[in-house]
Amino acid sequence: MVAAPLEPLLTASEIQRRVSELAQEISRDYAQAEEIFMIGVLRGAFIFLADLSRQIEISRRIDFIALASYDEGATRADAVRLIMDLRSDIRDQHVLIVEDIVDTGRTLEYLMNSLSARGPASLRSCVLVRKPSRHEVPVSIDYLGFEIPDLWVVGYGLDYADQHRTLPYIGILENV
Ligand code: IMP
Ligand code: MG
């Protein structure tokens, strides 16, 4: 059975255009760096990272980290849990976190804290979409694709219960 298409919030071409702009901006900003170390946050960022990393014009390395959010009821301090760590040491590296979405901001906060403790030469973040009205903690995003309203979105890596990740556009999932 083929599911009905979802209402698009960001079309495939809008996303592609913005990803190219971000890649140009990042390439310019890191022109003096020998190499950039891109960290994709699994699983949602895998498509964004694939597209972004292939358009960056400076030398780069790729690694992944996997995190999960605890459900409601977890205390703030342990709202995020590490599922799979990086393979490589990031000491003295120019690290760029690549994340699909910032909602409450807790995942990004956790990542910034835990990666900065490992002594990178620099640490920045590149986020495809953020929901500013949902932020619960201060978030520092260096490169942002789009701001979106408080809706559940899927596609371009984003899921609901592991569905819809491979849609080429970002659509709104109703009744979540
Ligand atoms: P945080 O609340 O900023 O820590 O984000 C936690 C995680 O919730 C994100 O990395 C996503 O995996 C997930 N998430 C939040 N909002 C959405 C959405 O609209 N669609 C899909 N995943 C989402
Ligand atoms: Mg994520």
Side-chain angles (χ1 to χ4, degrees), residues 26-33 36 58 94-96 122 124 143:
I26 292 166
S27 304
R28 245 192 340 261
D29 290 357
Y30 286 89
Q32 303 307 318
I36 153 174
I58 49 178
H94 291 288
V95 173
L96 182 65
S122 67
R124 290 186 185 169
Y143 303 97

Side-chain angles (χ1 to χ4, degrees), residues 41-45 67 99-101 107 158:
V41 187
L42 293 175
R43 287 170 284 184
L67 302 170
E99 177 61 306
D100 52 356
I101 188 162
T107 305
L158 291 156

Side-chain angles (χ1 to χ4, degrees), residues 44 69 80 99-108 131 134 148 151-154 158-160:
S69 321
V80 180
E99 177 61 306
D100 52 356
I101 188 162
V102 170
D103 185 34
T104 64
R106 288 178 185 182
T107 305
L108 189 59
K131 297 184 197 171
R134 295 262 312 158
I148 63 166
L151 298 166
W152 196 270
V153 290
V154 294
L158 291 156
D159 74 309
Y160 177 70

Side-chain angles (χ1 to χ4, degrees), residues 38-104:
M38 304 178 78
I39 298 180
V41 187
L42 293 175
R43 287 170 284 184
F46 79 111
I47 291 179
F48 180 37
L49 177 70
D51 285 348
L52 184 71
S53 61
R54 287 179 297 170
Q55 292 187 51
I56 282 180
E57 288 157 6
I58 49 178
S59 169
R60 61 270 186 193
R61 288 164 69 185
I62 307 291
D63 201 348
F64 292 95
I65 196 165
L67 302 170
S69 321
Y70 280 113
D71 296 332
E72 314 287 305
T75 62
R76 264 181 80 143
D78 58 304
V80 180
R81 183 164 51 110
L82 182 67
I83 303 284
M84 185 195 84
D85 205 347
L86 302 171
R87 285 206 181 188
S88 346
D89 189 0
I90 55 166
R91 180 164 299 280
D92 301 330
Q93 301 288 326
H94 291 288
V95 173
L96 182 65
I97 297 168
V98 179
E99 177 61 306
D100 52 356
I101 188 162
V102 170
D103 185 34
T104 64

